[in-house]
Amino acid sequence: MKKQFNVLPKLAALSVLAAFAAPAMAQQAGDNLVNAGWAHLGLNQSSEPLKLGTFTVPNSGAHVSNADTLLLSFTHFITDNVAVTADLGIPPKFKLNGSGSLNGLGQLGTATQWSPAMLVKYYFGDANSQFRPYVGAGATYVWYSNIKLSNSLTGLLGGGDPGASTSADLSSSFAPVANVGMAYNFDKNWSANVSLSYVPLKTKADLATRHSDGTTTHATTKITLNPLVSVLSVGYKF
């Protein structure tokens, strides 16, 4: 009988240790998760030649710089495995440089890109998993603001007219988003996340130049961007 009493405290101690060793719930239905981190937009780009009215400038092109920005996202878990994510963040600023026959013009302009996105994601594993890879798909709406053109581009489009001024319009559009990533859960609240998204994206640039005699001429081009967006972020569940 004495041996039985000696065994009971040991069993109780093992039970306490097992309770502490059991994984905390990482993400489950009804949870909300906020992530903040760094995003790099690497462009897989190309451009069509610049057209001045009906005339195409031979061997002309443009190159858009890559960009980095702060990304903010909010995720709501519908089930233990299915979640909806809204991606926001600070709009990145892109630089447009001439290439080919326009290379001598240097920087052609800058623009800020807005691209909020909504995605549905499927998380593998279960709510207790510390490591959870996922796949996702969704859409983004892209538009541009703060478009500024360089004097060198205005000089080209104005044909040497010192009184000419040029404004630009970049087309807006919806685009699909494909996403893969993984989350590592440190505890029931904190996690780290890495992901990669692909966005097939094109935009049309319409450059309107108003000359000193009151006439207006137009130049157009199409730019394919197709960014790969790499994200490294920290998440907090509440």
Side-chain angles (χ1 to χ4, degrees):
M1 195 67 157
K2 186 175 181 180
K3 289 183 179 180
Q4 286 182 330
F5 284 119
N6 288 337
V7 170
L8 290 176
K10 293 179 181 179
L11 291 175
L14 289 173
S15 298
V16 171
L17 290 174
F20 278 104
M25 298 295 279
Q27 298 102 7
Q28 58 183 322
D31 283 348
N32 296 307
L33 180 69
V34 172
N35 279 82
W38 165 81
H40 174 74
L41 290 81
L43 305 182
N44 301 286
Q45 60 185 292
S46 63
S47 66
E48 294 184 0
L50 184 67
K51 292 183 178 181
L52 303 176
T54 58
F55 172 72
T56 299
V57 180
N59 194 36
S60 60
H63 181 273
V64 183
S65 64
N66 296 331
D68 297 277
T69 190
L70 172 68
L71 180 73
L72 299 174
S73 64
F74 175 81
T75 300
H76 174 72
F77 280 82
I78 301 173
T79 70
D80 290 356
N81 298 95
V82 178
V84 176
T85 296
D87 286 333
L88 301 169
I90 297 177
K93 182 179 180 180
F94 290 98
K95 298 177 181 179
L96 179 68
N97 296 283
S99 63
S101 60
L102 301 182
N103 186 61
L105 297 180
Q107 185 170 301
L108 305 180
T110 59
T112 299
Q113 178 181 290
W114 299 76
S115 52
M118 289 291 295
L119 296 94
V120 177
K121 297 179 179 178
Y122 182 85
Y123 283 73
F124 297 93
D126 56 38
N128 292 323
S129 300
Q130 191 169 38
F131 175 74
R132 301 195 74 180
Y134 59 83
V135 295
T140 179
Y141 183 70
V142 182
W143 74 95
Y144 301 88
S145 66
N146 299 323
I147 303 171
K148 298 179 181 179
L149 303 179
S150 67
N151 292 332
S152 60
L153 179 60
T154 299
L156 172 68
L157 299 178
D161 181 357
S165 61
T166 301
S167 60
D169 178 70
L170 298 176
S171 62
S172 304
S173 64
F174 283 98
V177 180
N179 174 251
V180 296
M182 60 187 75
Y184 182 84
N185 300 291
F186 298 108
D187 56 33
K188 66 178 182 178
N189 294 110
W190 291 97
S191 61
N193 182 84
V194 293
S195 70
L196 182 67
S197 297
Y198 175 70
V199 185
L201 178 63
K202 295 182 180 180
T203 186
K204 180 179 180 180
D206 182 3
L207 311 174
T209 301
R210 184 173 178 81
H211 302 269
S212 54
D213 62 3
T215 61
T216 300
T217 56
H218 288 266
T220 59
T221 186
K222 291 182 180 179
I223 302 174
T224 298
L225 299 172
N226 293 352
L228 279 172
V229 185
S230 308
V231 175
L232 175 61
S233 64
V234 175
Y236 181 78
K237 187 187 75 173
F238 62 94

